[in-house]
mmCIF file of all heavy atoms in Angstrom:
data_model
loop_
_atom_site.group_PDB
_atom_site.id
_atom_site.type_symbol
_atom_site.label_atom_id
_atom_site.label_comp_id
_atom_site.label_asym_id
_atom_site.label_seq_id
_atom_site.Cartn_x
_atom_site.Cartn_y
_atom_site.Cartn_z
ATOM 1 N N ASN A 202 -35.841 -58.138 30.065
ATOM 2 C CA ASN A 202 -36.178 -56.944 30.847
ATOM 3 C C ASN A 202 -34.913 -56.092 30.968
ATOM 4 O O ASN A 202 -34.025 -56.415 31.752
ATOM 5 C CB ASN A 202 -36.678 -57.387 32.234
ATOM 6 C CG ASN A 202 -36.893 -56.223 33.180
ATOM 7 O OD1 ASN A 202 -36.981 -55.070 32.742
ATOM 8 N ND2 ASN A 202 -36.984 -56.513 34.470
ATOM 9 N N LYS A 204 -34.569 -53.276 32.215
ATOM 10 C CA LYS A 204 -34.594 -52.402 33.400
ATOM 11 C C LYS A 204 -34.229 -50.964 32.979
ATOM 12 O O LYS A 204 -34.591 -50.547 31.882
ATOM 13 C CB LYS A 204 -33.665 -52.930 34.486
ATOM 14 C CG LYS A 204 -33.908 -54.401 34.781
ATOM 15 C CD LYS A 204 -33.264 -54.855 36.047
ATOM 16 C CE LYS A 204 -33.404 -56.361 36.151
ATOM 17 N NZ LYS A 204 -33.141 -56.869 37.480
ATOM 18 N N HIS A 288 -43.002 -56.460 39.198
ATOM 19 C CA HIS A 288 -41.603 -56.909 39.307
ATOM 20 C C HIS A 288 -41.101 -56.627 40.718
ATOM 21 O O HIS A 288 -41.490 -55.639 41.341
ATOM 22 C CB HIS A 288 -40.745 -56.167 38.273
ATOM 23 C CG HIS A 288 -39.364 -56.741 38.159
ATOM 24 N ND1 HIS A 288 -38.367 -56.402 39.045
ATOM 25 C CD2 HIS A 288 -38.829 -57.641 37.304
ATOM 26 C CE1 HIS A 288 -37.266 -57.075 38.724
ATOM 27 N NE2 HIS A 288 -37.519 -57.837 37.673
ATOM 28 N N SER A 289 -40.221 -57.483 41.217
ATOM 29 C CA SER A 289 -39.789 -57.350 42.621
ATOM 30 C C SER A 289 -39.141 -55.995 42.887
ATOM 31 O O SER A 289 -39.219 -55.471 43.993
ATOM 32 C CB SER A 289 -38.838 -58.476 42.996
ATOM 33 O OG SER A 289 -37.591 -58.255 42.409
ATOM 34 N N GLU A 290 -38.513 -55.406 41.846
ATOM 35 C CA GLU A 290 -37.908 -54.084 42.087
ATOM 36 C C GLU A 290 -38.986 -53.024 42.301
ATOM 37 O O GLU A 290 -38.785 -52.070 43.055
ATOM 38 C CB GLU A 290 -36.965 -53.731 40.927
ATOM 39 C CG GLU A 290 -35.690 -54.558 41.017
ATOM 40 C CD GLU A 290 -35.070 -54.926 39.683
ATOM 41 O OE1 GLU A 290 -35.372 -54.287 38.667
ATOM 42 O OE2 GLU A 290 -34.265 -55.884 39.677
ATOM 43 N N CYS A 319 -45.301 -60.747 38.029
ATOM 44 C CA CYS A 319 -44.143 -61.319 38.736
ATOM 45 C C CYS A 319 -44.487 -61.559 40.201
ATOM 46 O O CYS A 319 -45.101 -60.695 40.848
ATOM 47 C CB CYS A 319 -42.953 -60.366 38.674
ATOM 48 S SG CYS A 319 -42.411 -60.003 37.006
ATOM 49 N N GLU A 360 -40.136 -65.271 40.375
ATOM 50 C CA GLU A 360 -38.772 -64.749 40.482
ATOM 51 C C GLU A 360 -38.417 -64.588 41.956
ATOM 52 O O GLU A 360 -38.814 -63.578 42.580
ATOM 53 C CB GLU A 360 -38.681 -63.370 39.814
ATOM 54 C CG GLU A 360 -39.038 -63.385 38.350
ATOM 55 C CD GLU A 360 -38.410 -62.203 37.636
ATOM 56 O OE1 GLU A 360 -38.772 -61.051 37.935
ATOM 57 O OE2 GLU A 360 -37.532 -62.432 36.812
ATOM 58 N N ALA A 364 -32.638 -64.261 44.040
ATOM 59 C CA ALA A 364 -31.932 -64.862 42.899
ATOM 60 C C ALA A 364 -31.777 -63.881 41.739
ATOM 61 O O ALA A 364 -31.050 -64.144 40.781
ATOM 62 C CB ALA A 364 -32.680 -66.101 42.431
ATOM 63 N N ILE A 365 -32.442 -62.720 41.827
ATOM 64 C CA ILE A 365 -32.388 -61.747 40.731
ATOM 65 C C ILE A 365 -31.061 -60.994 40.793
ATOM 66 O O ILE A 365 -30.682 -60.478 41.847
ATOM 67 C CB ILE A 365 -33.578 -60.762 40.814
ATOM 68 C CG1 ILE A 365 -34.895 -61.531 40.607
ATOM 69 C CG2 ILE A 365 -33.435 -59.648 39.792
ATOM 70 C CD1 ILE A 365 -36.134 -60.682 40.747
ATOM 71 N N GLY A 366 -30.358 -60.974 39.678
ATOM 72 C CA GLY A 366 -29.077 -60.256 39.612
ATOM 73 C C GLY A 366 -28.053 -60.792 40.585
ATOM 74 O O GLY A 366 -27.215 -60.065 41.082
ATOM 75 N N ASN A 367 -28.113 -62.097 40.853
ATOM 76 C CA ASN A 367 -27.254 -62.682 41.886
ATOM 77 C C ASN A 367 -26.702 -64.016 41.386
ATOM 78 O O ASN A 367 -27.128 -65.088 41.817
ATOM 79 C CB ASN A 367 -28.099 -62.892 43.154
ATOM 80 C CG ASN A 367 -27.255 -63.311 44.337
ATOM 81 O OD1 ASN A 367 -26.051 -63.528 44.206
ATOM 82 N ND2 ASN A 367 -27.886 -63.424 45.492
ATOM 83 N N TYR A 404 -39.764 -68.570 34.718
ATOM 84 C CA TYR A 404 -38.858 -68.442 35.858
ATOM 85 C C TYR A 404 -37.891 -67.293 35.572
ATOM 86 O O TYR A 404 -37.441 -67.122 34.438
ATOM 87 C CB TYR A 404 -38.056 -69.743 36.077
ATOM 88 C CG TYR A 404 -37.017 -69.554 37.149
ATOM 89 C CD1 TYR A 404 -37.403 -69.484 38.481
ATOM 90 C CD2 TYR A 404 -35.677 -69.363 36.832
ATOM 91 C CE1 TYR A 404 -36.469 -69.239 39.477
ATOM 92 C CE2 TYR A 404 -34.733 -69.124 37.823
ATOM 93 C CZ TYR A 404 -35.147 -69.062 39.143
ATOM 94 O OH TYR A 404 -34.236 -68.815 40.128
ATOM 95 N N GLY A 405 -37.542 -66.544 36.601
ATOM 96 C CA GLY A 405 -36.531 -65.499 36.446
ATOM 97 C C GLY A 405 -35.634 -65.447 37.659
ATOM 98 O O GLY A 405 -36.090 -65.597 38.799
ATOM 99 N N GLY A 406 -34.349 -65.242 37.427
ATOM 100 C CA GLY A 406 -33.388 -65.155 38.529
ATOM 101 C C GLY A 406 -32.036 -65.633 38.065
ATOM 102 O O GLY A 406 -31.717 -66.814 38.183
ATOM 103 N N SER A 407 -31.267 -64.714 37.477
ATOM 104 C CA SER A 407 -29.899 -65.014 37.038
ATOM 105 C C SER A 407 -29.830 -66.197 36.068
ATOM 106 O O SER A 407 -28.926 -67.034 36.172
ATOM 107 C CB SER A 407 -28.998 -65.257 38.257
ATOM 108 O OG SER A 407 -28.981 -64.102 39.076
ATOM 109 N N VAL A 408 -30.769 -66.244 35.152
ATOM 110 C CA VAL A 408 -30.661 -67.242 34.076
ATOM 111 C C VAL A 408 -29.658 -66.695 33.052
ATOM 112 O O VAL A 408 -29.747 -65.541 32.634
ATOM 113 C CB VAL A 408 -32.035 -67.523 33.423
ATOM 114 C CG1 VAL A 408 -31.882 -68.485 32.248
ATOM 115 C CG2 VAL A 408 -33.007 -68.079 34.458
ATOM 116 N N LYS A 409 -28.697 -67.533 32.714
ATOM 117 C CA LYS A 409 -27.602 -67.150 31.814
ATOM 118 C C LYS A 409 -27.470 -68.235 30.746
ATOM 119 O O LYS A 409 -28.031 -69.329 30.904
ATOM 120 C CB LYS A 409 -26.277 -67.065 32.598
ATOM 121 C CG LYS A 409 -26.329 -66.179 33.843
ATOM 122 C CD LYS A 409 -26.344 -64.692 33.492
ATOM 123 C CE LYS A 409 -26.442 -63.844 34.752
ATOM 124 N NZ LYS A 409 -26.856 -62.482 34.533
ATOM 125 N N LEU A 426 -37.616 -65.152 32.283
ATOM 126 C CA LEU A 426 -37.549 -63.685 32.284
ATOM 127 C C LEU A 426 -36.093 -63.342 32.600
ATOM 128 O O LEU A 426 -35.556 -63.769 33.621
ATOM 129 C CB LEU A 426 -38.505 -63.138 33.346
ATOM 130 C CG LEU A 426 -39.040 -61.719 33.126
ATOM 131 C CD1 LEU A 426 -40.242 -61.465 34.017
ATOM 132 C CD2 LEU A 426 -38.006 -60.653 33.353
ATOM 133 N N ILE A 427 -35.484 -62.596 31.707
ATOM 134 C CA ILE A 427 -34.044 -62.369 31.778
ATOM 135 C C ILE A 427 -33.753 -60.894 32.028
ATOM 136 O O ILE A 427 -34.218 -60.039 31.278
ATOM 137 C CB ILE A 427 -33.379 -62.739 30.420
ATOM 138 C CG1 ILE A 427 -33.818 -64.129 29.943
ATOM 139 C CG2 ILE A 427 -31.864 -62.643 30.485
ATOM 140 C CD1 ILE A 427 -33.359 -65.242 30.815
ATOM 141 N N GLY A 428 -32.964 -60.597 33.044
ATOM 142 C CA GLY A 428 -32.535 -59.223 33.295
ATOM 143 C C GLY A 428 -31.158 -58.995 32.695
ATOM 144 O O GLY A 428 -31.007 -58.668 31.521
ATOM 145 N N GLY A 429 -30.115 -59.199 33.510
ATOM 146 C CA GLY A 429 -28.736 -58.902 33.110
ATOM 147 C C GLY A 429 -28.346 -59.448 31.737
ATOM 148 O O GLY A 429 -27.779 -58.719 30.912
ATOM 149 N N ALA A 430 -28.662 -60.709 31.483
ATOM 150 C CA ALA A 430 -28.221 -61.323 30.221
ATOM 151 C C ALA A 430 -29.004 -60.807 29.017
ATOM 152 O O ALA A 430 -28.609 -61.066 27.876
ATOM 153 C CB ALA A 430 -28.321 -62.850 30.314
ATOM 154 N N SER A 431 -30.070 -60.032 29.251
ATOM 155 C CA SER A 431 -30.813 -59.504 28.093
ATOM 156 C C SER A 431 -30.125 -58.257 27.528
ATOM 157 O O SER A 431 -30.515 -57.744 26.482
ATOM 158 C CB SER A 431 -32.260 -59.177 28.469
ATOM 159 O OG SER A 431 -32.345 -58.021 29.273
HETATM 160 C C1 PEP B 226 -35.211 -59.747 36.359
HETATM 161 O O1 PEP B 226 -34.915 -58.569 36.214
HETATM 162 O O2 PEP B 226 -36.395 -60.053 36.459
HETATM 163 C C2 PEP B 226 -34.158 -60.757 36.398
HETATM 164 C C3 PEP B 226 -34.506 -62.019 36.464
HETATM 165 O O3 PEP B 226 -32.867 -60.296 36.362
HETATM 166 P P1 PEP B 226 -31.531 -61.210 36.266
HETATM 167 O O4 PEP B 226 -31.710 -62.122 35.078
HETATM 168 O O5 PEP B 226 -30.431 -60.235 36.091
HETATM 169 O O6 PEP B 226 -31.436 -61.982 37.530
#
Side-chain angles (χ1 to χ4, degrees):
N202 173 17
K204 309 194 188 195
H288 190 278
S289 74
E290 286 147 19
C319 300
E360 300 203 295
I365 296 177
N367 188 355
Y404 174 74
S407 300
V408 176
K409 307 286 178 198
L426 206 164
I427 310 294
S431 73

